[in-house]
Amino acid sequence: MTEQTTERTGRRVTANLSLSLDGRYHGPAGPGDFSMFAPYVTSEVARGQLTRIWEGATTALLGRVNAEGFLGYWPAVAADEHADPRDRGYAKWLVDTEKVVFSTTLSEAPWERARVVNAPAADVVAELKASGEGDILVNSCPSLIKPLLEADLIDRLYLMIFPEIAGGGQRLFDDGLPATQWKLAHQETGELGELAMVYDRVR
């Protein structure tokens, strides 16, 4: 596929992630350690950001682990009439949208409207950008966001910054990334000190 074809569709690649003040996306106890984020994820600002990430997206990119976690939790929220409308909106979108799940162990997806791929993220994104419409959201998956940052293929970053120093855990922005410039498109501060920020890649 040609660069011209990719550009003609106008599809953006977006990504969302929550980070601590010291840039960690999980705590020192390992990938399941999100205790530092717990007080903030249901705040007004965080729920506003949750809505913001999916409104223009028509495809979700997920790693196998976060696909299993998200799709084991959110379908019940989509069906819950008493859930917060913003949570339910995201949940319904996640259930109904096209999902691409990256895995080296799954041969087929156990979820509806999902397909499994075992290929470099940059190659899959190039294929998706060559057809269709709407944003391609890398849905809270650092193992995909990192290589796409390395390939300079992310057009928008949705970041939640929580006022906690984790003191350990993995960082999103590793040394060796290409130098890039970003423009702040949106910023909002919550009552607990949490920050919702949207950055667009300047090209």
Side-chain angles (χ1 to χ4, degrees), residues 48-58 90 93 135 137 158:
Q49 184 86 325
L50 184 67
T51 299
R52 199 172 292 117
I53 66 172
W54 67 263
E55 284 184 316
T58 56
Y90 168 77
W93 170 82
D135 290 349
L137 172 65
Y158 296 97

Side-chain angles (χ1 to χ4, degrees), residues 3 21 25 42 68 100 122 132 198:
E3 183 177 346
L21 280 180
Y25 53 84
T42 57
E68 289 173 345
V100 180
V198 181

Side-chain angles (χ1 to χ4, degrees), residues 129-162:
K129 288 191 72 172
S131 63
E133 59 183 17
D135 290 349
I136 301 161
L137 172 65
V138 188
N139 198 8
S140 192
C141 184
S143 64
L144 299 177
I145 297 173
K146 287 184 177 185
L148 292 173
L149 283 172
E150 290 171 5
D152 194 17
L153 287 174
I154 293 182
D155 303 303
R156 168 168 279 197
L157 279 170
Y158 296 97
L159 298 176
M160 283 298 306
I161 309 298
F162 297 136

